[in-house]
Amino acid sequence: MARATILTEIHGRVGMIRLNRPAQLNALNDELMDALGTALLDFDANTEIGAILITGSDKAFAAGADIAVMANWSYMDVYQRGFITRNWETIRQVRKPVIAAVAGYAMGGGCELALACDIIIAAESAQFALPEIKLAMLPGAGGTQRLPRAIGKAKAMDMCLSARMLSAQEADRYGLVSRVVPDAELPAAALKVATQIAGYSLPALMAIKEAVNRAHESSLSEGILFERRELHARFASEDAHEGMHAFLDKRKPVFQHR
């Protein structure tokens, strides 16, 4: 029986997806990316889920795309199949917060998958690189676009052109990751963050995610306008009124995610 390329679990309001190709250090192929996309959309549609957590193994979050599969592809192969566009970009459709818990290697496509998440929690063993230049290729799953937005043009150029590898500590200093924790604490720490986030009002979480993402893709004046409209919309939310009244009453709010 074939091994499942991903494993899924539910912890309260957190949907967890574990990449599961250990012999290939979780190298990303079409089968895995199809399964990942399906799991992401299923959790996104599940009203009982408030946040999604993606993780790998102790050795590797994902070591990159599966080169053994790609080596003999032609231009027409990738163009007609919509390589990357067809399934790697599914994560962009997800409206709920997505958290990456990264230990070990996050190389090439693995680094790009982490970059596509909203928060990256890195173990001290985590290593990040975009080494496609070594194969006369280039980062093509968003790496040349998301990395400069995360760490700036100069450092992104360095990583892309020289295949420079960043340690977890360097990635933290550069703003690539959200926080760094000891390896032994990564599973619990990531789940704790995801659980905390999932406990907040889901419509508010979705609005914040959309507004922050808009900051990368529009001018400041357009971003401010979008933010203001999202803020005004909160006053139509039952959860926002519950949150404000709970604050005034000095009690914990009970959100209905409406």
Side-chain angles (χ1 to χ4, degrees), residues 23-249:
Q24 297 82 19
L25 295 178
N26 293 330
L28 307 174
N29 61 7
D30 266 350
E31 183 183 1
L32 188 153
M33 296 310 293
D34 285 342
L36 175 61
T38 297
L40 285 168
L41 294 180
D42 286 348
F43 281 145
D44 203 37
N46 187 338
T47 58
E48 299 301 314
I49 297 297
I52 301 168
L53 180 62
I54 302 176
T55 190
S57 68
D58 294 341
K59 292 183 178 179
F61 176 70
D66 194 336
I67 305 302
V69 175
M70 300 165 49
N72 294 317
W73 286 353
S74 69
Y75 170 78
M76 276 302 162
D77 289 333
V78 296
Y79 181 72
Q80 291 180 342
R81 294 173 187 170
F83 176 51
I84 293 178
T85 306
R86 183 184 67 79
N87 48 10
W88 291 57
E89 291 291 297
T90 304
I91 194 170
R92 296 183 63 192
Q93 302 174 37
V94 178
R95 301 177 68 193
K96 295 174 181 176
V98 181
I99 300 153
V102 179
Y105 296 118
M107 304 293 166
C111 183
E112 291 173 301
L113 174 58
L115 282 167
C117 296
D118 303 308
I119 294 174
I120 303 175
I121 301 176
E124 291 175 340
S125 66
Q127 294 178 292
F128 299 86
L130 294 174
E132 287 84 353
I133 187 61
K134 293 182 177 181
L135 307 180
M137 297 291 281
L138 67 110
T144 65
Q145 304 303 301
R146 292 190 179 99
L147 188 63
R149 287 168 166 81
I151 67 176
K153 177 184 175 181
K155 291 183 173 63
M157 281 288 194
D158 190 2
M159 287 184 68
C160 291
L161 296 179
S162 74
R164 178 182 179 186
M165 184 181 295
L166 296 186
S167 67
Q169 291 72 24
E170 289 172 315
D172 189 28
R173 289 202 304 271
Y174 294 169
L176 176 60
V177 305
S178 307
R179 58 184 83 180
V180 177
V181 299
D183 280 58
E185 297 178 16
L186 179 65
L191 183 58
K192 181 179 179 180
V193 172
T195 300
Q196 178 186 6
I197 290 171
Y200 297 131
S201 169
L202 181 55
L205 291 170
M206 294 163 65
I208 290 170
K209 174 173 175 171
E210 195 171 8
V212 173
N213 282 335
R214 184 61 64 97
H216 284 301
E217 301 171 8
S218 63
S219 66
L220 178 60
S221 59
E222 287 298 316
I224 290 292
L225 177 61
F226 186 85
E227 176 190 77
R228 202 59 35 80
R229 292 293 179 261
E230 291 284 4
L231 173 65
H232 292 169
R234 294 295 86 226
F235 288 86
S237 164
E238 295 178 20
D239 283 349
H241 289 282
E242 164 64 11
M244 290 186 284
H245 283 288
F247 174 80
L248 293 174
D249 296 341

